[in-house]
Amino acid sequence: MPLLIPENLLKKEGELVKGFAPEVAWVTVGGQKELEERLCIRPTSETLFCDYYKDHVKSHRDLPMLYNQWCNVLRWEKETRPFLRSREFLWQEGHTIHATKEEAERETDKMMEVYHWFHNEILAIPSIRGKKTEKEKFAGAEYTLTNEALMYNGVALQAGTSHYFGQKFSKAYGVTFTNKENKEEYVYQTSWGTTTRMIGGLIMVHSDDYGLVLPPKIAPKQVVIIPIGDSEKVSTFAQQYQETLKKAGITVSIDTSEKSPGFKFAEAEVNGIPIRIEIGERDLERGEVTFVRRDTREKIHEKSDLEIVSYVKTLLDTIQKDMYLRAKTRRDSLTFEAHNLKEMEDILNKQPGFIHAMWCGDPACEEKIKEIKGCKSRCILEEAKKIDDVCVCCGKEAKHVVVWALQY
Amino acid sequence: MPLLIPENLLKKEGELVKGFAPEVAWVTVGGQKELEERLCIRPTSETLFCDYYKDHVKSHRDLPMLYNQWCNVLRWEKETRPFLRSREFLWQEGHTIHATKEEAERETDKMMEVYHWFHNEILAIPSIRGKKTEKEKFAGAEYTLTNEALMYNGVALQAGTSHYFGQKFSKAYGVTFTNKENKEEYVYQTSWGTTTRMIGGLIMVHSDDYGLVLPPKIAPKQVVIIPIGDSEKVSTFAQQYQETLKKAGITVSIDTSEKSPGFKFAEAEVNGIPIRIEIGERDLERGEVTFVRRDTREKIHEKSDLEIVSYVKTLLDTIQKDMYLRAKTRRDSLTFEAHNLKEMEDILNKQPGFIHAMWCGDPACEEKIKEIKGCKSRCILEEAKKIDDVCVCCGKEAKHVVVWALQY
């Protein structure tokens, strides 16, 4: 789908315009001429997909239509933060239309499951899932599911959302199909996206004062071998390790640059390479090599003739699991309960984190809670046990368990 | 690199601005406010890379720096053509800086070799290589190498360029490094790119009246199996073929949709799938299946118990080679020689193509030749044998063998 959206196309769905119009960038001049109609740089592509669908869907036999694109979008944020919030960002946006409500809702669920799985299993970022409140949902959606992570400092980061639109957009853009009963009907629509902001999440969950710490499953380089000194024996040995590991599908390189060993060690740490293998001549003579875990910075001396492949594979698995567990333990230690506004305020003043508290469903209470340092609802936990009968804010009957937090 | 370039950054290199300023789109409003400085949507990213290099290069030890990005760029073309010329397009742009002229020029050559190889070996598009004239080179480059293809109708398509900048940009943007002699020096720079326009090239070189014809090496699906009728015997047999071919690394699917066989055949042709396998019940009883080549539309009846993997692999190879040879034969038949303007004009009026003709090196002659239906120099063939002693236009001493053509 194209980068630029004509103003009149953007304006067709009222809520979407209200939500996005304040934060788009407008192209007004092209080829040295003032344009007759302004074009906005896409903040998201629902309007473009709807415009496409309406000419390409005729029958239920054409459905579902499932699209995904990786692209750049732009939102004119007032405040930006490296990796976490930038005006232009790269993302994956999926857009689907379906013949039935049930199928579209299943898609919405499925993609939230994918995001949740990816964060937990691959990025080792423990995350929670739930539904956004009316106030926080995507402009124009029936509802929004969200995946929420907690950074090392107790501030929350939205990490993937999946929206169910029902027929709201299809009615605004006239996207109809002939259903199995041969009747004209509006399609049921979803969209879902996650952004390269997850790189920011990776940094803010796992890194330490020595630099990046990357989970082995996502590390572009899993192992670096650093030969100490330039003896041929060391070099030959390093190459043997490299070849053996490579054949086993492990990404590995030897740092043969002219830098000093100390510099190389520090560089491997900054870059977050999960395992560093140090090979020195004297160590080799003693039949030893040293493995250094990036996550714990632990040095492990091992026999140089060990089963290198299974040893490294096991160590990579251990690092992945340990990183997840450490992040989860911290997340849990930063998860609190509040039963009234005073408790909520105390928590946020002392140590922010995920705060579980009951909510009546009234946006006015959400607004009032936001006055405490900008604390926002992250998500409604739909299947959680009630922790109280009344709203944390107004004291009226509570409807939902909600997770609240400060956010990036 | 970002999508938007501040106006003052774009303006630092004089030739680049002159070349690109007339065809950029300007963002003048962001977040509902008029911007203090206009931002252009990148037409290409040299300026952004230079701005980055200047803060990141210090020593010859940092060099070379080799970058590549796949992204969208925008040029405000007056005339657009689907797949061949659009305002926004997707491309790959490589940017490199080096410590020496020799290394940078080797990079420029190497990438041209990559583009040429990819077009000939993978896309089966026979192409020629050479140097652009001063008039046709990239704005701001010392020189531009180009890969040029010829469409079915004898019109040329630029298909990948590689630029050597020398120190022109590094001087404009102040990109220096400390060389091995410990002296401050400007870096030597290259850039190179090719765009999704090559999809247009694929269509315009290989397709026929029945749709797309894709070379097997680039076809996302190499084989489609179409069962005729819904007997279990046919279905089982189709699945056996599919599994066997899949295991051998061939991309294959079975069309089990509810459409009629005739519709499926036509759809496979429109989509350019190199091989279609038709399996009918009566054929099977006779121990036969039918293979249909997309490129020639030839039907080949074979025994159903043939060695399916080696048969299909050989057929895919044959199709790839035949497609290249057919395209090359046509390209050669559309390659002409002209010794004076009259001959050039006659050729272009009768049947356009690549026209080899001598040139004195004077841009005035290039301008004059352009008056013949917009015919442009495609490239200088640096190692070609002279076909004449004098310029095709002015009759003065000729310096270069040049290929001329109408272009997309």
Side-chain angles (χ1 to χ4, degrees):
Chain A
M1 289 295 155
L3 176 70
L4 301 177
I5 308 174
E7 187 162 18
N8 81 73
L9 187 62
L10 187 71
K11 283 189 168 165
K12 280 196 183 168
E13 206 291 319
E15 285 181 51
L16 185 90
V17 185
K18 264 206 317 213
F20 285 103
E23 54 179 47
V24 297
W26 291 101
V27 172
T28 62
V29 178
Q32 298 182 306
K33 273 189 194 159
E34 197 81 24
L35 303 181
E36 282 176 31
E37 181 182 6
R38 301 198 299 177
L39 304 167
C40 89
I41 297 179
R42 61 180 164 215
T44 179
S45 303
E46 278 74 11
T47 52
L48 296 164
F49 275 93
C50 284
D51 196 51
Y52 167 81
Y53 294 145
K54 87 171 160 23
D55 297 328
H56 288 82
V57 184
K58 287 186 180 68
S59 146
H60 63 93
R61 275 184 295 267
D62 301 325
L63 295 172
M65 291 179 101
L66 311 169
Y67 291 100
N68 181 55
Q69 68 177 5
W70 286 92
C71 66
N72 52 350
V73 291
L74 198 135
R75 297 176 189 174
W76 206 262
E77 305 282 354
K78 276 171 203 140
E79 257 185 278
T80 62
R81 262 172 201 277
F83 292 111
L84 293 178
R85 189 173 289 274
S86 47
R87 284 181 175 170
E88 182 192 0
F89 57 91
L90 305 178
W91 77 349
Q92 150 280 313
E93 54 176 324
H95 295 266
T96 71
I97 49 176
H98 306 263
T100 66
K101 181 177 188 298
E102 293 65 37
E103 193 184 290
E105 291 201 85
R106 267 204 306 280
E107 182 76 16
T108 313
D109 275 347
K110 188 181 87 183
M111 292 317 301
M112 182 42 54
E113 179 58 32
V114 168
Y115 294 148
H116 188 257
W117 170 85
F118 186 75
H119 278 80
N120 287 267
E121 292 299 316
I122 308 296
L123 303 183
I125 296 178
S127 66
I128 57 170
R129 275 178 293 181
K131 199 180 248 180
K132 284 285 183 194
T133 62
E134 281 299 299
K135 188 172 171 294
E136 297 295 329
K137 74 176 186 187
F138 182 87
E142 291 276 359
Y143 60 80
T144 290
L145 304 181
T146 183
N147 182 50
E148 300 279 334
L150 198 68
M151 304 298 97
Y152 79 97
N153 56 358
V155 177
L157 187 74
Q158 183 177 301
T161 47
S162 185
H163 317 291
Y164 172 66
F165 291 115
Q167 298 175 313
K168 282 171 90 168
F169 277 78
S170 60
K171 283 179 179 167
Y173 288 83
V175 186
T176 59
F177 71 105
T178 312
N179 67 20
K180 280 188 179 162
E181 288 74 42
N182 214 26
K183 279 186 191 147
E184 191 92 347
E185 194 180 350
Y186 290 102
V187 300
Y188 297 85
Q189 191 175 347
T190 84
S191 81
W192 24 276
T194 189
T195 85
T196 47
R197 157 191 271 199
M198 69 176 86
I199 297 169
L202 260 184
I203 297 170
M204 300 281 283
V205 167
H206 298 304
S207 297
D208 61 21
D209 291 346
Y210 303 93
L212 209 53
V213 183
L214 290 173
K217 284 191 184 169
I218 202 81
K221 194 188 289 171
Q222 297 171 306
V223 177
V224 61
I225 301 171
I226 301 180
I228 299 159
D230 48 8
S231 85
E232 199 167 313
K233 197 177 166 196
V234 166
S235 155
T236 309
F237 195 85
Q239 278 165 25
Q240 276 168 5
Y241 262 17
Q242 186 189 30
E243 272 167 41
T244 313
L245 291 171
K246 245 189 198 162
K247 272 187 203 149
I250 293 159
T251 49
V252 50
S253 71
I254 305 178
D255 187 345
T256 54
S257 66
E258 288 167 31
K259 298 156 189 165
S260 73
F263 191 98
K264 291 179 186 181
F265 298 164
E267 199 171 52
E269 293 199 324
V270 166
N271 291 334
I273 301 168
I275 298 175
R276 176 171 99 225
I277 307 179
E278 301 173 4
I279 305 177
E281 199 170 358
R282 277 194 218 155
D283 291 340
L284 265 197
E285 275 163 15
R286 282 197 305 270
E288 277 186 6
V289 291
T290 303
F291 294 80
V292 187
R293 283 175 66 157
R294 175 61 188 94
D295 62 331
T296 57
R297 304 186 73 232
E298 181 191 355
K299 285 195 171 221
I300 313 165
H301 303 286
E302 295 286 353
K303 296 272 169 242
S304 57
D305 60 355
L306 84 176
E307 272 283 351
I308 183 70
V309 170
S310 67
Y311 183 80
V312 165
K313 280 194 172 172
T314 306
L315 191 52
L316 289 171
D317 280 351
T318 306
I319 293 172
Q320 180 84 26
K321 277 182 204 140
D322 287 358
M323 286 181 71
Y324 181 76
L325 284 177
R326 265 195 306 279
K328 190 163 179 299
T329 304
R330 189 179 54 218
R331 199 252 342 246
D332 291 345
S333 78
L334 296 176
T335 300
F336 312 100
E337 270 185 22
H339 301 271
N340 54 56
L341 284 192
K342 173 76 174 63
E343 281 181 21
M344 209 156 179
E345 205 168 339
D346 286 349
I347 293 165
L348 289 169
N349 280 326
K350 207 174 137 200
Q351 167 59 62
F354 278 150
I355 305 174
H356 291 229
M358 299 306 296
W359 179 54
C360 61
D362 186 346
C365 287
E366 231 179 323
E367 274 303 335
K368 203 162 174 198
I369 290 167
K370 202 178 154 194
E371 285 168 18
I372 314 171
K373 306 185 112 183
C375 180
K376 282 190 179 180
S377 68
R378 305 312 308 160
C379 59
I380 297 168
L381 298 179
E382 292 185 288
E383 281 163 30
K385 247 195 186 162
K386 283 193 175 187
I387 57 174
D388 216 340
D389 292 324
V390 296
C391 173
V392 70
C393 179
C394 66
K396 285 184 196 153
E397 196 192 335
K399 281 193 192 145
H400 305 291
V401 183
V402 170
V403 181
W404 310 81
L406 307 184
Q407 69 160 23
Y408 275 116
Chain B
M1 288 294 155
L3 176 71
L4 301 176
I5 307 174
E7 186 161 18
N8 82 74
L9 186 64
L10 187 72
K11 282 189 168 164
K12 280 194 180 167
E13 207 290 321
E15 285 180 52
L16 184 90
V17 185
K18 264 204 317 209
F20 285 103
E23 54 180 48
V24 297
W26 292 101
V27 172
T28 62
V29 177
Q32 298 182 306
K33 274 190 192 157
E34 197 79 26
L35 302 180
E36 282 176 28
E37 181 182 5
R38 301 198 297 177
L39 305 166
C40 89
I41 297 180
R42 61 181 164 215
T44 178
S45 303
E46 278 73 12
T47 52
L48 296 164
F49 275 94
C50 284
D51 195 52
Y52 167 81
Y53 294 146
K54 88 171 162 19
D55 298 327
H56 288 82
V57 184
K58 288 185 178 71
S59 145
H60 63 92
R61 276 183 296 266
D62 302 325
L63 294 172
M65 289 179 102
L66 311 169
Y67 292 99
N68 181 54
Q69 67 177 4
W70 285 92
C71 66
N72 52 350
V73 292
L74 197 135
R75 297 177 189 175
W76 207 262
E77 306 283 355
K78 276 172 205 139
E79 256 185 279
T80 62
R81 263 173 200 278
F83 292 112
L84 293 177
R85 190 173 289 273
S86 47
R87 286 181 174 170
E88 181 192 359
F89 58 91
L90 303 178
W91 77 349
Q92 151 282 313
E93 53 176 325
H95 295 266
T96 71
I97 49 176
H98 306 263
T100 66
K101 180 177 189 297
E102 293 67 35
E103 194 184 291
E105 291 200 85
R106 267 204 306 279
E107 182 76 17
T108 313
D109 276 347
K110 187 180 87 181
M111 291 317 301
M112 183 40 55
E113 179 58 31
V114 168
Y115 292 148
H116 187 259
W117 170 85
F118 186 74
H119 278 80
N120 287 269
E121 292 299 316
I122 307 296
L123 302 183
I125 296 178
S127 65
I128 57 169
R129 274 179 295 181
K131 199 179 247 182
K132 284 285 184 194
T133 62
E134 280 299 298
K135 186 172 173 294
E136 297 294 330
K137 75 177 186 188
F138 182 87
E142 291 275 0
Y143 60 80
T144 290
L145 304 181
T146 183
N147 183 50
E148 300 278 334
L150 198 67
M151 303 299 97
Y152 80 97
N153 55 358
V155 177
L157 186 74
Q158 183 178 299
T161 48
S162 185
H163 317 292
Y164 172 66
F165 290 114
Q167 298 175 312
K168 283 171 89 169
F169 277 77
S170 60
K171 283 179 179 167
Y173 288 82
V175 186
T176 60
F177 72 104
T178 312
N179 67 19
K180 279 187 178 163
E181 287 75 42
N182 214 24
K183 280 186 191 149
E184 191 91 347
E185 193 179 351
Y186 289 103
V187 300
Y188 298 85
Q189 190 174 348
T190 84
S191 81
W192 24 276
T194 189
T195 85
T196 47
R197 158 190 271 199
M198 68 176 85
I199 297 169
L202 260 184
I203 297 171
M204 300 281 284
V205 167
H206 298 303
S207 297
D208 61 22
D209 291 346
Y210 303 94
L212 209 53
V213 184
L214 290 173
K217 284 190 186 170
I218 202 81
K221 194 188 289 172
Q222 297 171 307
V223 177
V224 62
I225 301 172
I226 301 180
I228 300 161
D230 47 10
S231 87
E232 199 167 314
K233 198 177 165 193
V234 166
S235 155
T236 309
F237 195 86
Q239 279 166 25
Q240 276 168 4
Y241 262 18
Q242 186 189 30
E243 274 167 39
T244 313
L245 290 171
K246 246 189 197 162
K247 272 187 203 147
I250 293 159
T251 49
V252 51
S253 71
I254 306 178
D255 188 345
T256 54
S257 66
E258 288 168 31
K259 298 156 190 164
S260 73
F263 191 98
K264 291 179 186 180
F265 298 163
E267 197 172 52
E269 293 199 324
V270 165
N271 292 332
I273 302 167
I275 298 174
R276 176 171 99 226
I277 308 179
E278 302 173 3
I279 305 176
E281 199 170 358
R282 276 195 218 152
D283 291 342
L284 265 196
E285 276 164 16
R286 282 198 305 271
E288 277 186 6
V289 290
T290 304
F291 294 81
V292 187
R293 284 175 65 158
R294 174 61 187 93
D295 63 330
T296 57
R297 305 186 73 232
E298 182 191 354
K299 286 197 169 219
I300 313 164
H301 302 286
E302 296 286 353
K303 296 272 170 238
S304 56
D305 61 355
L306 84 176
E307 272 283 351
I308 183 72
V309 170
S310 67
Y311 182 81
V312 166
K313 280 194 172 172
T314 306
L315 191 52
L316 289 171
D317 281 351
T318 307
I319 292 172
Q320 180 85 25
K321 276 182 204 138
D322 287 358
M323 285 181 71
Y324 181 77
L325 284 178
R326 266 195 306 276
K328 191 165 177 299
T329 304
R330 188 179 56 217
R331 200 249 346 245
D332 291 345
S333 79
L334 295 176
T335 300
F336 310 100
E337 271 186 21
H339 301 272
N340 55 56
L341 284 193
K342 173 75 173 66
E343 281 182 21
M344 210 156 181
E345 205 167 340
D346 285 350
I347 293 166
L348 289 169
N349 279 328
K350 207 172 136 200
Q351 167 59 61
F354 278 150
I355 305 174
H356 290 228
M358 299 305 298
W359 179 52
C360 60
D362 187 344
C365 287
E366 231 178 324
E367 275 302 336
K368 203 163 173 196
I369 290 167
K370 204 179 152 194
E371 285 167 19
I372 314 173
K373 305 184 116 188
C375 180
K376 283 190 178 180
S377 68
R378 304 312 308 161
C379 60
I380 297 167
L381 298 179
E382 292 185 290
E383 280 163 30
K385 246 194 185 162
K386 282 194 175 187
I387 56 174
D388 215 339
D389 291 325
V390 296
C391 174
V392 70
C393 179
C394 66
K396 287 188 192 148
E397 195 192 338
K399 279 193 190 142
H400 304 292
V401 183
V402 170
V403 181
W404 311 80
L406 307 185
Q407 70 160 23
Y408 275 115

